[in-house]
Amino acid sequence: SRRMLLASVLLATVAVTACGKKTEQASASAGAASTPAASAAKEYVVGTDATYAPFEFQNDKKEIVGFDIDVLSAVAAKAGFKVKFVNTPWEGIFSTLQQGDRDILTSAITITDERKQSMDFSDPYFEARQLIAVAKGVSDIKTFQDLKAKKVAVQTGTTGDDVVKKLLGKTSSNIKRFESMPLALKELESGGVQAAVGDNGVVINYVKNNPQNGISVVADDKSFSAEFYGFAVKKGNKELLAKINSGLKAIKADGTYDSIYAKYFGAKK
Ligand code: ARG
């Protein structure tokens, strides 16, 4: 009955909360991850294509860091589970959920209707939009439409690839596909294409960190719609999805999300 269901949900919540508390205390006092109480928290393997600064990338020590990493780590801490990030190439990243090699994906993944057919997404945690990168001083590219007769670089299988496919035609040989966004932008730098299209945060970050490379950006908010990033889990994994969403809610409510946001993008307007 509904009342029974409610009662068991309540019980489960109490149990999870109590368990989370114990874990926190244990690791706070012992400081080690190997204490029995700490290891009771379930660890999930998280796939991430760490070529996508500032969302996921490798620092000088080859550690996987970034906005997505901080957000999901904070979510996990709140919801009482552990995460282990594993660098996973974008191409084929979605099938690792099906195969059971990864439990969660975080990779600045845009929630799309098509992807929702084969995996489940958390509530959105970030808003993004496509942005056009061109060679500095180029004046004949002012809107997305202007790319129609140009060679354009994208990361294979991204939403950038999708929009460019729609404009140039699925089979257009003017679309140059790369396995990472930095490779697509390098192609623009070397003159192999006239533009690259990708997520705004990543393109802006790249241009900022490589000012000598002669790239500038063209925004076209009329042609590109808002995209929302979500954490992906295997279709039907409701239990894990509920944990992620509750953690996300909590870090949005207590200011943790905002401080992570500010660390990477400055204070919110
Ligand atoms: N947001 C875009 C998409 O979902 C690009 C994501 C690419 N992420 C990455 N880590 N390479 O298609």
Side-chain angles (χ1 to χ4, degrees), residues 49 52 56 90 107-110 115 155 158-159 199 229:
D49 170 30
Y52 218 61
E56 44 268 333
W90 176 254
S107 238
I109 303 170
T110 301
R115 288 171 183 167
Q155 183 181 13
T158 57
T159 44
D199 291 13
Y229 295 168

Side-chain angles (χ1 to χ4, degrees), residues 46-50 56 64 69 85-89 93 105-107:
V46 183
T48 185
D49 170 30
E56 44 268 333
I64 299 173
I69 309 308
F85 294 95
V86 179
N87 202 0
T88 307
I93 198 170
L105 301 179
T106 182
S107 238

Side-chain angles (χ1 to χ4, degrees), residues 69-83:
I69 309 308
D70 285 1
V71 172
L72 188 57
S73 299
V75 163
K78 274 280 188 258
F81 62 88
K82 295 204 272 177
V83 279

Side-chain angles (χ1 to χ4, degrees), residues 201-245:
V202 173
V203 173
I204 288 168
N205 184 79
Y206 185 90
V207 171
K208 198 177 75 194
N209 291 329
N210 301 279
Q212 73 290 349
N213 290 11
I215 296 184
S216 64
V217 300
V218 176
D220 182 351
D221 288 359
K222 284 205 194 88
S223 299
F224 303 127
S225 42
E227 300 183 16
F228 297 92
Y229 295 168
F231 302 111
V233 301
K234 187 175 183 175
K235 199 156 189 54
N237 195 347
K238 295 212 172 70
E239 188 194 332
L240 179 51
L241 206 56
K243 286 198 229 179
I244 295 172
N245 282 336

Side-chain angles (χ1 to χ4, degrees), residues 63-125:
E63 296 156 337
I64 299 173
V65 296
F67 175 80
D68 285 356
I69 309 308
D70 285 1
V71 172
L72 188 57
S73 299
V75 163
K78 274 280 188 258
F81 62 88
K82 295 204 272 177
V83 279
K84 182 181 150 202
F85 294 95
V86 179
N87 202 0
T88 307
W90 176 254
E91 189 150 19
I93 198 170
F94 296 136
S95 60
T96 64
L97 285 179
Q98 249 92 33
Q99 288 149 5
D101 294 337
R102 308 284 184 270
D103 302 302
I104 306 174
L105 301 179
T106 182
S107 238
I109 303 170
T110 301
I111 303 168
T112 68
D113 287 338
E114 194 193 340
R115 288 171 183 167
K116 276 200 248 172
Q117 310 287 310
S118 53
M119 67 200 94
D120 285 338
F121 284 98
S122 71
D123 295 334
Y125 67 88

Side-chain angles (χ1 to χ4, degrees), residues 18-57:
C19 171
K21 283 223 179 81
K22 218 182 275 160
T23 307
E24 268 164 38
Q25 278 166 8
S27 49
S29 55
S34 58
T35 57
S39 62
K42 195 163 165 45
E43 181 176 86
Y44 293 103
V45 179
V46 183
T48 185
D49 170 30
T51 62
Y52 218 61
F55 296 96
E56 44 268 333
F57 58 104

